[in-house]
Amino acid sequence: MNSPDRPYALLSVGELLADFIGHHVSTNLVDAQDFRRYQGGSPANMAANMARLNNKVALVACVGNDSIGKYLTREIKESGVDTQFITADPLEPTTIVVVSRTAGTPDFVAYRHADCQLRSEQIPDSLLAQTQLFHTTCFALSRQPAQEVIVDAARRAQKAGCQVSIDANYAPTIWPDRQQAWRVLADYFAAGALVKVSEDDAERLYGERQSPEKVIQDFHQMGAPMICMTLGADGSLVSYDGGAKQARIPGKKIDVVDVTGAGDAYWAGFLTAYLDGYAPGNCAHAGAVLAKMKLTRQGPLPEKVDRKLLYEQFE
């Protein structure tokens, strides 16, 4: 619920970038000839999704002092996100990601520049004291100086009584040093983080397929009190109270139109239900409702989503 003493339901921290996505289907970027520009970045999309559900949300990010940076800031502001904590780096251009449009896993190249130039001044204690949820991603944590700034801010957020969250969307192409990734994630989880991780994320992080039980056990040991592991068509598994309790949510057959951004939709639904005081299993159901809405339509979610839709099945 929107709290008067903590007006920001979510403070999302990390990458705001431009996705240049192949206009036509191709096997990889070798064959992709033309591209369309979209506002991207998981923390930015997460912020926009939470705003669509009528949460007050702010984004902490860094773009370049260029036209693409201005375009991205305008787009995210139009989705209802507070953009006053977005800075423009005077030297680095805005980060862009070039992506193929393919039926399988897309081929992509990330040109990393301004997104990692976050500064501690962008996340003052006074802002954390006004925030209910502090959220980031592996992409955001993969480079300095943002890495140190975000981990420090997560510790300060915990001290300020703010619930920490992460989408552990690890990708070796973005973060080649897997051992460093484990160390940084352990530091972040230790701030009492709620963790979302997919089966594919976990496989990339471990370097091989792992059982959900193994992943959940390890993440709890690293300090995460609640872990939500999404299992694709098989639904999701939530482990909470440090592993003492679990809820299993079965998958439902749906006709998928567009998978892009489904994870950000899921976690926005989950965290909105969490803020509204629902039990973890119900939060996972709410996440699945929003993910389904995203999967069955081309492009982003509608401008406004009635949050009551998240709870229809169990009220």
Side-chain angles (χ1 to χ4, degrees), residues 116-119 140-149 180 184:
C116 26
Q117 301 301 319
L118 294 181
R119 298 283 178 259
L141 286 170
S142 66
R143 292 273 182 101
Q144 295 285 22
Q147 183 183 96
E148 216 165 273
V149 167
Q180 186 202 48
V184 173

Side-chain angles (χ1 to χ4, degrees), residues 12 14-21 36-48 59-63 68-69 71-73 75-76 79 86 94-99 115 137 139 260-261 264 300:
S12 201
E15 69 274 16
L16 171 62
L17 51 82
D19 282 325
F20 285 81
I21 301 176
R36 286 191 173 175
R37 178 188 68 174
Y38 299 90
Q39 175 261 306
S42 175
N45 294 340
M46 181 70 190
L59 177 66
V60 174
C62 185
V63 294
I68 295 178
Y71 153 74
L72 294 172
T73 307
E75 286 291 297
I76 204 72
S79 67
I86 298 174
T94 299
T95 294
I96 67 168
V97 179
V98 182
V99 191
D115 77 273
T137 64
F139 190 107
T260 311
D264 295 322

Side-chain angles (χ1 to χ4, degrees), residues 64-81:
N65 185 23
D66 51 38
S67 296
I68 295 178
K70 291 183 180 75
Y71 153 74
L72 294 172
T73 307
R74 183 193 74 200
E75 286 291 297
I76 204 72
K77 187 172 188 174
E78 283 178 3
S79 67
V81 174

Side-chain angles (χ1 to χ4, degrees), residues 8-181:
Y8 290 110
L10 181 85
L11 183 66
S12 201
V13 182
E15 69 274 16
L16 171 62
L17 51 82
D19 282 325
F20 285 81
I21 301 176
H23 183 36
H24 299 289
V25 173
S26 61
T27 48
N28 54 38
L29 286 171
V30 174
D31 305 322
Q33 290 187 334
D34 49 2
F35 299 86
R36 286 191 173 175
R37 178 188 68 174
Y38 299 90
Q39 175 261 306
S42 175
N45 294 340
M46 181 70 190
N49 289 342
M50 292 287 280
R52 288 181 172 101
L53 288 160
N54 201 31
N55 294 292
K56 185 173 166 66
V57 180
L59 177 66
V60 174
C62 185
V63 294
N65 185 23
D66 51 38
S67 296
I68 295 178
K70 291 183 180 75
Y71 153 74
L72 294 172
T73 307
R74 183 193 74 200
E75 286 291 297
I76 204 72
K77 187 172 188 174
E78 283 178 3
S79 67
V81 174
D82 185 338
T83 57
Q84 64 175 308
F85 308 105
I86 298 174
T87 57
D89 190 89
L91 302 175
E92 294 284 353
T94 299
T95 294
I96 67 168
V97 179
V98 182
V99 191
S100 67
R101 186 180 293 281
T102 49
T105 303
D107 184 18
F108 75 95
V109 181
Y111 297 89
R112 301 287 298 274
H113 292 287
D115 77 273
C116 26
Q117 301 301 319
L118 294 181
R119 298 283 178 259
S120 290
E121 308 82 86
Q122 287 174 263
I123 318 171
D125 287 343
S126 56
L127 175 58
L128 297 173
Q130 298 178 65
T131 299
Q132 295 176 64
L133 289 166
F134 176 96
H135 174 76
T136 196
T137 64
C138 278
F139 190 107
L141 286 170
S142 66
R143 292 273 182 101
Q144 295 285 22
Q147 183 183 96
E148 216 165 273
V149 167
I150 295 171
V151 172
D152 172 66
R155 290 191 193 114
R156 291 189 287 117
Q158 185 187 31
K159 282 189 187 139
C162 180
Q163 176 59 60
V164 175
S165 154
I166 183 169
D167 187 341
N169 53 354
Y170 176 79
T173 43
I174 297 296
W175 202 346
D177 189 338
R178 190 177 269 112
Q179 294 316 115
Q180 186 202 48

